[in-house]
Amino acid sequence: MKAMILAAGKGERMRPLTLHTPKPLLPVAGKPLIQWHIEALRRAGIDQLVINHAWLGEQLEEAFGDGSALDVCISWSAEEQPLETAGGIVRALPLLGSEPFLLVNGDIWCDVDFADLRLPPGKLAHLVLVPNPPFKQGGDFLLEGGAVSNPTDDERGRAQTFSGISVLSPILFEGLPGGPRPLAPLLRTAADQGLVSGEIHAGQWIDVGTPERLQQASIQAERG
């Protein structure tokens, strides 16, 4: 299975740290944030990686090149403008191939074991969900009996947050034109059709969206 790491975001909430450095290169415990993902994927036996980029993306390519220094093979999907999650995936599909692939947001830090993730037969997506973080009032999806569904307004309090980690089938993106496009509407439509499964990760997970959370990730990483 191949993996795609999403690294095209501009990191507006991380300014001024991201004015001259792409968010995935910001250090967590002395190591670029994205490198934690690359090394975790390699430990899981996933060494064929696709990474998209836009803002200051040339710095990412300079830092990691073809990935050989970390014992992986990296294919780069450059975007002239950010295409959002689904748009970036559509652009990268020729690099990802026709089999299900692992998708990882580049701006999270976690201890998820990628080796355990699979797409069940008959599903278009398998989502890793996490307990709602303190800064978030309600969750994104409900998980019951391994099946993911969309919560009503009354159910959001017991819904869980999408971690930004999933296994997706390329079929989910069939027929979509190029251009900016979010992923969430595609997942919600597939969930309504009973085509999304999921699991809960109860370990470490941080949405590295602010300088404070970047520092929190460093503290957690140093603790192991």
Side-chain angles (χ1 to χ4, degrees):
M1 182 165 60
K2 293 184 178 181
M4 180 173 183
I5 304 176
L6 298 169
K10 199 168 183 178
E12 297 282 3
R13 293 177 297 167
M14 296 292 284
R15 289 191 171 194
L17 299 178
T18 51
L19 287 175
H20 305 290
T21 303
K23 188 175 180 180
L25 286 184
L26 294 177
V28 170
K31 185 187 302 183
L33 175 59
I34 195 172
Q35 188 172 333
W36 289 91
H37 292 318
I38 294 172
E39 293 177 350
L41 289 165
R42 183 65 189 88
R43 288 195 300 272
I46 302 172
D47 59 5
Q48 299 294 310
L49 311 183
V50 175
I51 303 176
N52 70 337
H53 65 71
W55 174 250
L56 301 176
E58 67 279 358
Q59 293 187 30
L60 285 165
E61 293 203 33
E62 289 170 5
F64 297 103
D66 63 2
S68 57
L70 295 175
D71 199 25
V72 297
C73 178
I74 298 176
S75 297
W76 297 97
S77 181
E79 302 173 6
E80 294 75 21
Q81 61 171 339
L83 296 174
E84 301 187 63
T85 303
I89 293 170
V90 170
R91 186 183 183 95
L93 281 178
L95 300 172
L96 290 166
S98 59
E99 297 298 318
F101 59 91
L102 180 62
L103 184 72
V104 183
N105 279 8
D107 59 355
I108 60 172
W109 184 86
C110 66
D111 62 355
V112 172
D113 186 350
F114 297 125
D116 292 337
L117 300 179
R118 297 288 184 275
L119 183 65
K123 302 297 183 182
L124 293 182
H126 181 80
L127 310 184
V128 177
L129 306 177
V130 295
N132 299 327
F135 57 85
K136 192 172 180 181
Q137 292 293 320
D140 304 310
F141 295 98
L142 284 172
L143 179 65
E144 296 177 325
V148 168
S149 62
N150 295 305
T152 65
D153 289 342
D154 292 338
E155 293 172 328
R156 286 205 175 274
R158 61 186 184 89
Q160 293 87 25
T161 290
F162 176 40
S163 69
I165 301 169
S166 56
V167 183
L168 305 177
S169 168
I171 297 173
L172 184 65
F173 306 93
E174 275 189 352
L176 291 180
R181 185 181 302 272
L183 178 61
L186 300 179
L187 295 178
R188 295 201 179 283
T189 297
D192 284 338
Q193 298 170 343
L195 297 174
V196 181
S197 60
E199 61 185 82
I200 295 288
H201 173 65
Q204 298 185 68
W205 178 87
I206 298 173
D207 175 359
V208 186
T210 65
E212 292 76 19
R213 283 183 237 150
L214 180 68
Q215 183 179 24
Q216 181 185 358
S218 287
I219 293 171
Q220 291 293 336
E222 289 168 353
R223 289 175 178 170

